[in-house]
Amino acid sequence: MPTLYTLATLEIGYGDWAILGACLALAVAVGLFIFYIQPDASDLAPRRTKLDQLLERRDTIYDNLRDLRFEYRSGKYSEGDFEAMKTALENEAALVLAEIDQVTDAQVRRPRGTRPADGSAQ
Protein backbone atom coordinates (compact mmCIF):
# COMPACT_ATOMS: atom_id res chain seq x y z
CA MET A 1 0.00 0.00 0.00
CA PRO A 2 1.48 3.36 -0.99
CA THR A 3 1.91 6.04 1.66
CA LEU A 4 0.00 9.29 1.34
CA TYR A 5 3.09 11.36 1.65
CA THR A 6 6.76 10.77 1.65
CA LEU A 7 9.41 12.64 3.56
CA ALA A 8 12.29 13.90 1.51
CA THR A 9 15.62 13.39 3.08
CA LEU A 10 17.01 16.67 4.34
CA GLU A 11 20.72 17.01 4.01
CA ILE A 12 22.33 20.00 5.69
CA GLY A 13 25.92 20.76 4.86
CA TYR A 14 28.53 22.69 6.88
CA GLY A 15 27.78 26.01 5.08
CA ASP A 16 24.07 25.63 5.77
CA TRP A 17 24.74 25.15 9.50
CA ALA A 18 26.87 28.31 9.54
CA ILE A 19 24.08 30.34 7.91
CA LEU A 20 21.47 28.86 10.24
CA GLY A 21 23.66 29.65 13.28
CA ALA A 22 24.22 33.23 12.10
CA CYS A 23 20.48 33.75 11.61
CA LEU A 24 19.76 32.35 15.07
CA ALA A 25 22.42 34.58 16.67
CA LEU A 26 21.00 37.62 14.87
CA ALA A 27 17.47 36.77 16.02
CA VAL A 28 18.65 36.45 19.64
CA ALA A 29 20.56 39.75 19.44
CA VAL A 30 17.53 41.58 18.01
CA GLY A 31 15.29 40.09 20.70
CA LEU A 32 17.65 41.16 23.46
CA PHE A 33 17.93 44.65 22.01
CA ILE A 34 14.16 45.09 21.70
CA PHE A 35 13.16 43.72 25.09
CA TYR A 36 16.09 44.38 27.43
CA ILE A 37 17.88 47.55 26.32
CA GLN A 38 15.92 50.62 27.36
CA PRO A 39 16.86 54.00 25.91
CA ASP A 40 17.80 56.71 28.37
CA ALA A 41 15.27 59.55 28.51
CA SER A 42 18.05 62.09 27.99
CA ASP A 43 18.93 60.41 24.68
CA LEU A 44 15.50 61.28 23.31
CA ALA A 45 15.43 64.88 24.50
CA PRO A 46 16.80 67.55 22.22
CA ARG A 47 20.11 68.95 23.37
CA ARG A 48 19.81 72.55 24.53
CA THR A 49 22.68 74.32 26.12
CA LYS A 50 22.29 76.93 28.83
CA LEU A 51 23.23 79.56 26.26
CA ASP A 52 20.39 78.41 23.97
CA GLN A 53 17.94 78.67 26.85
CA LEU A 54 19.15 82.14 27.79
CA LEU A 55 18.96 83.38 24.21
CA GLU A 56 15.42 82.05 23.92
CA ARG A 57 14.48 83.78 27.19
CA ARG A 58 16.02 87.04 25.96
CA ASP A 59 14.00 86.88 22.75
CA THR A 60 10.83 86.21 24.73
CA ILE A 61 11.43 89.24 26.94
CA TYR A 62 12.04 91.43 23.88
CA ASP A 63 8.80 90.15 22.33
CA ASN A 64 6.96 90.93 25.57
CA LEU A 65 8.37 94.47 25.60
CA ARG A 66 7.28 95.00 22.01
CA ASP A 67 3.78 93.71 22.80
CA LEU A 68 3.60 95.88 25.93
CA ARG A 69 4.47 99.01 23.95
CA PHE A 70 1.83 98.16 21.34
CA GLU A 71 -0.84 97.56 23.98
CA TYR A 72 0.08 100.79 25.77
CA ARG A 73 -0.21 102.77 22.54
CA SER A 74 -3.59 101.18 21.86
CA GLY A 75 -4.82 102.40 25.26
CA LYS A 76 -4.99 99.11 27.11
CA TYR A 77 -2.67 100.22 29.97
CA SER A 78 -2.34 103.44 31.93
CA GLU A 79 1.01 105.20 31.92
CA GLY A 80 1.80 104.07 35.48
CA ASP A 81 1.04 100.40 34.72
CA PHE A 82 3.03 100.60 31.50
CA GLU A 83 6.08 102.06 33.24
CA ALA A 84 5.95 99.46 36.04
CA MET A 85 5.70 96.51 33.63
CA LYS A 86 8.30 98.00 31.29
CA THR A 87 10.75 98.48 34.17
CA ALA A 88 10.20 94.90 35.37
CA LEU A 89 10.80 93.50 31.88
CA GLU A 90 13.88 95.67 31.34
CA ASN A 91 15.34 94.53 34.69
CA GLU A 92 14.69 90.90 33.76
CA ALA A 93 16.31 91.48 30.36
CA ALA A 94 19.36 92.99 32.07
CA LEU A 95 19.71 89.92 34.30
CA VAL A 96 19.42 87.56 31.33
CA LEU A 97 21.98 89.57 29.35
CA ALA A 98 24.37 89.45 32.31
CA GLU A 99 23.96 85.66 32.47
CA ILE A 100 24.60 85.42 28.72
CA ASP A 101 27.83 87.39 29.22
CA GLN A 102 28.88 85.04 32.02
CA VAL A 103 28.18 81.94 29.94
CA THR A 104 29.97 83.24 26.87
CA ASP A 105 32.96 84.41 28.96
CA ALA A 106 33.17 80.97 30.55
CA GLN A 107 33.26 79.38 27.11
CA VAL A 108 36.30 81.44 26.10
CA ARG A 109 39.36 79.51 27.26
CA ARG A 110 42.91 80.56 27.81
CA PRO A 111 45.31 79.44 25.10
CA ARG A 112 47.59 76.55 26.02
CA GLY A 113 51.04 77.38 27.27
CA THR A 114 50.12 80.53 29.15
CA ARG A 115 51.31 80.73 32.72
CA PRO A 116 50.28 82.96 35.57
CA ALA A 117 52.45 86.07 35.93
CA ASP A 118 53.33 85.50 39.58
CA GLY A 119 57.07 85.32 38.93
CA SER A 120 57.50 81.87 40.54
CA ALA A 121 57.93 80.02 37.23
CA GLN A 122 61.50 80.22 35.98
Side-chain angles (χ1 to χ4, degrees):
M1 181 161 156
T3 59
L4 296 175
Y5 61 92
T6 61
L7 293 174
T9 59
L10 184 61
E11 293 183 29
I12 299 178
Y14 176 74
D16 294 332
W17 280 110
I19 292 173
L20 187 60
C23 290
L24 183 62
L26 181 63
V28 168
V30 168
L32 288 173
F33 182 77
I34 291 173
F35 295 110
Y36 291 108
I37 297 178
Q38 299 296 323
D40 190 16
S42 65
D43 292 340
L44 303 175
R47 305 276 187 225
R48 290 182 53 204
T49 64
K50 182 169 182 163
L51 181 61
D52 292 336
Q53 294 170 0
L54 289 170
L55 292 174
E56 183 178 336
R57 182 69 189 137
R58 179 201 62 187
D59 294 342
T60 302
I61 293 170
Y62 287 163
D63 289 342
N64 289 344
L65 276 168
R66 186 175 46 251
D67 292 343
L68 180 65
R69 286 188 187 105
F70 174 78
E71 291 172 352
Y72 170 70
R73 289 179 185 147
S74 66
K76 186 173 181 180
Y77 296 113
S78 68
E79 187 171 343
D81 290 342
F82 167 73
E83 288 298 326
M85 287 188 275
K86 182 179 91 161
T87 302
L89 284 171
E90 287 173 345
N91 290 338
E92 188 176 353
L95 291 173
V96 169
L97 291 174
E99 284 186 60
I100 290 172
D101 284 342
Q102 288 175 352
V103 169
T104 54
D105 286 344
Q107 290 177 354
V108 175
R109 299 175 186 222
R110 278 191 314 170
R112 289 182 181 237
T114 60
R115 294 183 180 206
D118 64 354
S120 63
Q122 302 213 4

